[in-house]
Amino acid sequence: MLRIGLSGGIGAGKSTVSATFSELGGIVVDGDVIAREVVEPGTEGLAQLVDAFGAQILHEDGALNRPALAAIAFSDEQKRQTLNGIVHPLVAHRRSELIAAAAEDAVIVEDIPLLVESGMAPMFPLVVIVHADEDLRVKRLIEYRGFTEEDARARIAAQATVEQRRAVADVWLDNSGTANRLVEESRALWHERILPFAHNIHENTCARSAPALVPYDPAWPDQTRRILARLSTACGHRAVRVDHIGSTAVSGLDAKDVIDVQVTVASLEVADELSEVLTPVGYVRQPITEDVGKPDARSTVAEFDHSDDNALWRKRIHCSADPGRPTNVHLRVDGWPNQQFALLFVDWLRANPDAQSDYLALKRRVAADGYPTTGAYAEAKEPWFLDAYRRAWEWADTTGWRP
């Protein structure tokens, strides 16, 4: 099952995207629909709202008067939080019931108006945000939904900012044009990214990228922040730390367009347990179980057993099934040589322009030789890494580096 988080500000056009995904076979769990359902006459939700805001929020027939509730609840922050505190748990419970009833291979599109405000974005393997400029949204709300301009701007101001939405968006759909254009973009997203993503999860397959160098992408840090948030949420307390590692973590360095992340765990048993939570958020397990060991392995752990150095280079690895963001997730044990070196290597490169230039020259030579797979590309670099391991630890000893 692939779960997509869909959101956008009021009047942005989220319903158009939701309807398009539904037509294409997605199972849409609509937060607005559920939010209305849980406060219908006779429900626990409506009773709680009346207790909080008074009977003036009701029509004469006992149904909820939404404009009256909005006028009260959106008048200040505390009242808005009270409203959310009542409705959000009820909506979440009903959403869980609907998802549990879906087929195991379904693509679930969770249409959540307050996805950003509720902090739910890291729970989803893919977050799609629909956006339009405020003035255009106000115009739509007045024309199609009968808002006054004052009410429209108040509702917009009470929601997440554009910057907050961009921070969580894996996909940003701009709806400043026509509805037909938005439908076309939504269809393309479904066929080119969402369906392949779902297929890869079902088949336990990685999203592949060619082992080709590309110039440093300024978007990598923001993409990585979303990945780190997603992994931290999924792993919870079982992750000692989650770090951006590898070439894309070094600003300005050409690299393969693959994000590498290290999840530090207390043991390989914990790493194995995490397989159950990583697949649902889009990271499928791969058969690789160790890194290439280095002579004279080093660690910052005080007591370090050298009786089986090869064992201390073991790990687990997952990779993203999302074709739009190839990612490797390395699960390594806290204090083991491979876990330490992954952190050291990035800091060493950042602090040493000469080492960075040396590494870039190596990457360019290897790429020019045309290695056809990522594995072959990595293996060709390994002789250089043997010396880099020694040089990096010499730098660590000189500077007093600690992870």
Side-chain angles (χ1 to χ4, degrees), residues 171-189:
V171 178
W172 186 265
L173 293 176
D174 192 323
N175 187 27
S176 298
T178 65
N180 286 340
R181 178 183 171 186
L182 182 61
V183 169
E184 291 174 1
E185 292 182 357
S186 301
R187 286 180 173 274
L189 173 61

Side-chain angles (χ1 to χ4, degrees), residues 69-398:
L69 174 61
I72 297 172
F74 290 97
S75 62
D76 66 56
E77 180 64 19
Q78 184 174 353
K79 291 178 180 177
R80 185 175 70 85
Q81 290 182 4
T82 298
L83 172 63
N84 291 340
I86 293 171
V87 175
H88 284 178
L90 297 171
V91 171
H93 178 72
R94 180 56 180 156
R95 180 183 294 114
S96 296
E97 290 180 336
L98 294 172
I99 293 171
E104 291 185 0
D105 61 349
V107 176
I108 306 292
V109 180
E110 298 194 45
D111 185 332
I112 306 175
L114 300 180
L115 176 71
V116 180
E117 294 87 339
S118 62
M120 294 175 63
M123 297 170 57
F124 295 93
L126 189 71
V127 172
V128 179
I129 299 292
V130 188
H131 173 72
D133 291 338
E134 179 174 329
D135 288 344
L136 180 55
R137 292 162 61 194
V138 169
K139 179 181 178 181
R140 289 171 179 166
L141 291 172
I142 294 172
E143 184 175 352
Y144 299 114
R145 297 175 61 174
F147 279 65
T148 65
E149 180 174 350
E150 182 180 4
D151 287 343
R153 294 194 184 277
R155 289 291 295 272
I156 291 171
Q159 293 185 338
T161 64
V162 175
E163 292 74 21
Q164 288 171 326
R165 290 197 178 94
R166 281 197 180 276
V168 305
D170 298 300
V171 178
W172 186 265
L173 293 176
D174 192 323
N175 187 27
S176 298
T178 65
N180 286 340
R181 178 183 171 186
L182 182 61
V183 169
E184 291 174 1
E185 292 182 357
S186 301
R187 286 180 173 274
L189 173 61
W190 183 266
H191 290 294
E192 295 171 10
R193 186 167 183 176
I194 294 176
L195 281 187
F197 194 170
H199 173 79
N200 287 344
I201 288 181
H202 186 264
E203 299 296 325
N204 205 60
T205 300
C206 289
R208 299 297 183 186
S209 63
L213 290 181
V214 298
Y216 178 83
D217 187 343
W220 284 338
D222 286 337
Q223 293 170 357
T224 302
R225 276 189 284 272
R226 290 191 288 274
I227 294 168
L228 297 182
R230 187 170 289 132
L231 291 170
S232 296
T233 299
C235 296
H237 69 279
R238 288 179 288 187
V240 176
R241 58 188 291 176
V242 184
D243 296 279
H244 185 192
I245 61 170
S247 298
T248 57
V250 182
S251 180
L253 182 64
D254 293 358
K256 294 187 280 87
D257 188 18
V258 179
I259 303 294
D260 282 278
V261 173
Q262 177 169 270
V263 177
T264 297
V265 293
S267 68
L268 289 178
E269 289 75 19
V270 173
D272 290 333
E273 293 172 4
L274 287 175
S275 291
E276 296 181 0
V277 299
L278 290 176
T279 299
V281 292
Y283 301 97
V284 297
R285 183 167 174 173
Q286 296 303 292
I288 298 171
T289 59
E290 62 184 16
D291 293 305
V292 178
K294 308 292 188 295
D296 302 319
R298 294 281 301 273
S299 171
T300 56
V301 175
E303 296 182 2
F304 183 51
D305 182 7
H306 288 273
S307 61
D308 187 359
D309 282 355
N310 287 335
L312 294 169
W313 292 89
R314 290 176 184 162
K315 67 175 181 179
R316 302 293 183 260
I317 185 167
H318 291 244
C319 61
S320 176
D322 177 8
R325 181 60 275 158
T327 305
N328 294 322
V329 181
H330 308 262
L331 291 94
R332 298 185 174 113
V333 176
D334 193 16
W336 285 14
N338 52 359
Q339 183 265 350
Q340 297 285 290
F341 184 56
L343 301 174
L344 168 61
F345 184 65
V346 171
D347 288 345
W348 176 59
L349 288 181
R350 288 171 175 168
N352 292 274
D354 289 344
Q356 190 176 142
S357 297
D358 189 22
Y359 184 42
L360 178 57
L362 165 76
K363 288 154 69 78
R364 287 174 173 167
R365 288 196 305 271
V366 173
D369 289 338
Y371 288 92
T373 66
T374 299
Y377 175 83
E379 185 177 348
K381 295 189 299 179
E382 192 55 39
W384 182 87
F385 269 97
L386 291 174
D387 185 56
Y389 186 77
R390 174 189 58 78
R391 293 163 59 197
W393 272 111
E394 287 177 353
W395 172 82
D397 291 339
T398 301

Side-chain angles (χ1 to χ4, degrees), residues 16-29:
T16 298
V17 178
S18 179
T20 302
F21 288 166
S22 179
E23 291 172 4
L24 293 169
I27 296 178
V28 175
V29 180

